[in-house]
Amino acid sequence: MNIQELALIAFTILVQMSVGAVWALRVAHYFAARKYGIEEADRLSDRALLALVPVIALAFVASLFHLGDPFNAYRAVTNLGSSWLSREIFFGVVFAGLAVVFAFLQWRKIGSFGLRNVIAWLAALAGLVLVYSMSSVYMLPAQPAWNSLATPISFFTTTFLLGALAMGAAFVANYAYMQRKETAGVEKQSALLRETLRWIAVAAVVLLGVELVALPLYLATLAGGSAAGLASVQLMIGSFGWALALRVILAFVGTGVFAVFLYQNAMSAGQEKVLSNMAYIAFIMVLTAEVLGRFLFYAAHVRIGI
């Protein structure tokens, strides 16, 4: 695997995680504001929001390494009407711009809540179009391993699964910071954190179910198609079988087992330290699993013809 494919792994994973994190933040903030008020919702999410900016920046730095000439990147947006790659770049810039603007306005509390809220939801919607455009880039008839419904399913599952778990880890880090630096309102934040983590655990289990159902169906469909598709399956279960097995194990343990423990321990107060450790471990394990999955995506594709 060359540096360009490694850059693509980093770019796609980081961008999708960022989009999912924006959605997790917006949903968590919406329900937290309804139950506890906007101020408490902001205390939960504002520091977590700032973590998005360096992740988005890293994603776009990684994207430059898979371009033949990074200084010609602007030319890729000249075919919006016919090229999914152009749309990916365009909506990537739109998503990043809106997300950074919202993060700045929210942190500095510039403008009305309504204005900031509109910008945030526009960023989230642009992110969905971005992920769809990314998946459509790979829907090529000459690439059976990519030209499948499994590609958008995989990209969107990665988006929401990593985004939710990343924000779960960010929320517990934010709570740990408040415990050290603040004294007022920590009890409310404790209740809010536990409730948010319960729903993140539920969402993670559902998304894991989608992955575990889609994977065998994808392999079976691919094996029953063209010779190139069968060759891709043989690579995935043969030469790269270790990566496939490790990915499934890490995803199941990180998402399934830890989500169950997260849900159980989030039911009562006094378990914040346990929750923090579980949230961090689950995120790291699932991030590793998704990186392995994306490695397989690029390493095991076999092209039809030359």
Side-chain angles (χ1 to χ4, degrees):
M1 180 168 286
N2 57 40
I3 187 66
Q4 290 183 332
E5 289 178 325
L6 291 174
L8 279 171
I9 292 174
F11 169 68
T12 56
I13 289 289
L14 290 173
V15 165
Q16 288 163 22
M17 180 171 66
S18 298
V19 172
V22 168
W23 274 92
L25 275 169
R26 297 317 303 152
V27 173
H29 189 279
Y30 173 77
F31 286 104
R34 289 188 62 182
K35 186 169 183 178
Y36 296 92
I38 293 175
E39 183 178 348
E40 291 297 328
D42 285 350
R43 292 181 70 198
L44 172 74
S45 62
D46 278 1
R47 292 187 186 92
L49 174 64
L50 286 183
L52 277 174
V53 177
V55 174
I56 293 173
L58 282 174
F60 280 87
V61 169
S63 72
L64 297 177
F65 285 94
H66 76 85
L67 296 173
D69 184 356
F71 294 102
N72 289 327
Y74 69 92
R75 295 181 179 176
V77 298
T78 58
N79 297 311
L80 282 174
S82 58
S83 170
W84 281 110
L85 179 60
S86 292
R87 295 165 192 158
E88 175 191 337
I89 295 172
F90 174 77
F91 284 105
V93 172
V94 171
F95 166 73
L98 289 171
V100 171
V101 168
F102 169 66
F104 176 75
L105 296 179
Q106 179 67 15
W107 184 252
R108 304 289 298 189
K109 295 298 184 286
I110 298 173
S112 66
F113 171 76
L115 173 64
R116 299 195 303 270
N117 201 42
V118 167
I119 295 174
W121 283 112
L122 287 175
L125 291 172
L128 289 186
V129 181
L130 167 59
V131 175
Y132 181 76
S133 299
M134 292 174 74
S135 66
S136 297
V137 167
Y138 296 97
M139 303 289 280
L140 304 171
Q143 298 280 7
W146 293 349
N147 191 33
S148 164
L149 187 60
T151 296
I153 290 175
S154 172
F155 278 27
F156 276 103
T157 303
T158 297
T159 295
F160 293 115
L161 182 57
L162 277 184
L165 291 176
M167 283 301 99
F171 291 150
V172 297
N174 175 62
Y175 179 76
Y177 176 87
M178 285 193 294
Q179 280 187 309
R180 293 193 305 270
K181 300 295 185 179
E182 303 176 15
T183 56
V186 175
E187 295 79 9
K188 284 186 178 180
Q189 283 296 307
S190 174
L192 181 52
L193 173 67
R194 286 184 282 110
E195 186 170 340
T196 302
L197 289 178
R198 282 202 303 272
W199 285 109
I200 287 176
V202 171
V205 169
V206 172
L207 291 165
L208 173 64
V210 173
E211 282 198 338
L212 293 181
V213 169
L215 179 60
L217 291 175
Y218 166 64
L219 293 175
T221 303
L222 194 59
S226 65
L230 179 59
S232 291
V233 174
Q234 290 171 339
L235 283 173
M236 280 186 260
I237 64 177
S239 301
F240 301 117
W242 61 270
L244 180 62
L246 187 57
R247 182 206 172 192
V248 172
I249 292 170
L250 287 173
F252 178 77
V253 175
T255 303
V257 176
F258 279 102
V260 171
F261 282 107
L262 274 172
Y263 188 89
Q264 290 177 339
N265 284 278
M267 296 298 288
S268 57
Q271 301 292 328
E272 286 80 7
K273 183 64 175 178
V274 176
L275 287 173
S276 298
N277 292 334
M278 288 183 174
Y280 294 142
I281 293 171
F283 171 63
I284 291 170
M285 293 182 74
V286 173
L287 176 60
T288 305
E290 294 302 319
V291 169
L292 286 170
R294 199 55 49 85
F295 163 79
L296 285 169
F297 181 81
Y298 290 110
H301 73 93
V302 176
R303 182 183 178 88
I304 294 176
I306 300 175

